[in-house]
Every structure is written in C-alpha cells, then in structure tokens.
Amino acid sequence: MEMTLEDLRQGLRAHAGFDGTVPAQVLALLGAQGPWSGRVWDVLQIVAEDHDRMAFLAGGLRPDEVADCVARWVESPLGVPEIRAVIDAGSYDPDPFGVLAAHGLLAQVLTDEQGQVRHLGGEPVGRWVSDQFADAPDEAVLAWAQGFLQPTT
C-alpha cells in the first residue's frame, strides 16, 4: 500500500514514546503496519535509518517535526537516489539542490572523483551548500557550482 503523508503523520503520532518523540525503531513499527511502498515510505527510510540523523534533519524528534521534514524532501524535485546522496553529503534541506540536479551537476558537487563526499570549510559539502545557499536564487547556486567545478590550473 502506498504511504501518504497523512498515513505517515498518523503513524508517527501513534508510535510516539512516553516523552512524545519518535522512537529509534520507528521504521520497524510502521513497517509492521504495511507493507508500505511509494515515495513517502522511501524517503522516510532514508531520513529515519539513523535516529541521530533523523533528529538533525527534522530539527527534533516530535512526530510533526519528522513528518514535516519528510514532506519537504518528498515535495522536492529530487529523485529518491538524489535525496539519499544529498542527505549523505550532510544536507538538512533539499533546497538548493534541485537546480543542481536539473543541470546534471549534483553528483559532481557532492562527491569527488573517488566517490567520497566532498568537504568545504571543514564540513560536508551538503551542509555547507545548505548553509550558504538556503534562500539563494537558482542562478546563484548554479553560478557557484559551475565555478566550484572549474578545473584549476
């Protein structure tokens, strides 16, 4: 059955712990109610595969915080593999990565020639890009990426 954002929100609320937060085993708890499929379930699996990362991405562990986080990623123009790559590169927000994906620059920006996550300013590139370009227009993100990827001589 395809999971909707409302299914997710209700499931997270139903499984919240005594302290009102989403437990580490949320995937197993929700999975037992499935079988689930679809983009919401796929994104949730990425977001919730590590409890600390889920808390970081969602800005907390309250059911609505986690549901809103998943919704941001689900509603982004990124494909599921791209979402995984962006999150694995340290980002907490799908913006501004859509423009990079649309122009075929996402993988090059996120990883080096050996496939390792790049670092800028001492932090993973995904986090750096999120911090620097959170509200930037697409043109600024694209111009930065093209300059960043220019080979230096």
Side-chain angles (χ1 to χ4, degrees):
M1 171 170 45
E2 185 164 343
M3 179 178 269
T4 66
L5 288 170
E6 188 55 34
D7 293 330
L8 172 62
R9 195 170 299 279
Q10 289 176 2
L12 292 173
R13 287 177 182 156
H15 293 297
F18 69 91
D19 61 354
T21 64
V22 175
Q25 67 274 23
V26 67
L27 288 175
L29 293 169
L30 290 174
Q33 297 175 314
W36 296 108
S37 63
R39 184 169 170 90
V40 173
W41 178 247
D42 292 344
V43 171
L44 175 65
Q45 289 181 86
I46 296 167
V47 168
E49 72 184 13
D50 177 88
H51 201 241
D52 290 336
R53 180 164 78 174
M54 179 171 57
F56 170 73
L57 291 169
L61 288 170
R62 301 275 182 223
D64 287 341
E65 292 169 331
V66 174
D68 290 347
C69 168
V70 171
R72 278 193 312 275
W73 290 97
V74 164
E75 294 163 358
S76 80
L78 300 171
V80 172
E82 294 168 326
I83 291 170
R84 175 171 293 287
V86 170
I87 289 174
D88 286 349
S91 180
Y92 49 85
D93 192 346
D95 293 329
F97 297 95
V99 67
L100 298 176
H103 285 85
L105 299 172
L106 185 63
Q108 294 171 303
V109 166
L110 297 179
T111 57
D112 62 20
E113 295 78 20
Q114 290 77 38
Q116 301 298 311
V117 171
R118 293 180 188 271
H119 284 75
L120 285 171
E123 60 186 339
V125 69
R127 188 166 306 141
W128 188 90
V129 170
S130 290
D131 289 345
Q132 299 299 314
F133 295 103
D135 296 320
D138 288 352
E139 297 78 20
V141 177
L142 193 56
W144 168 82
Q146 290 167 334
F148 175 70
L149 296 171
Q150 278 285 308
T152 56
T153 53

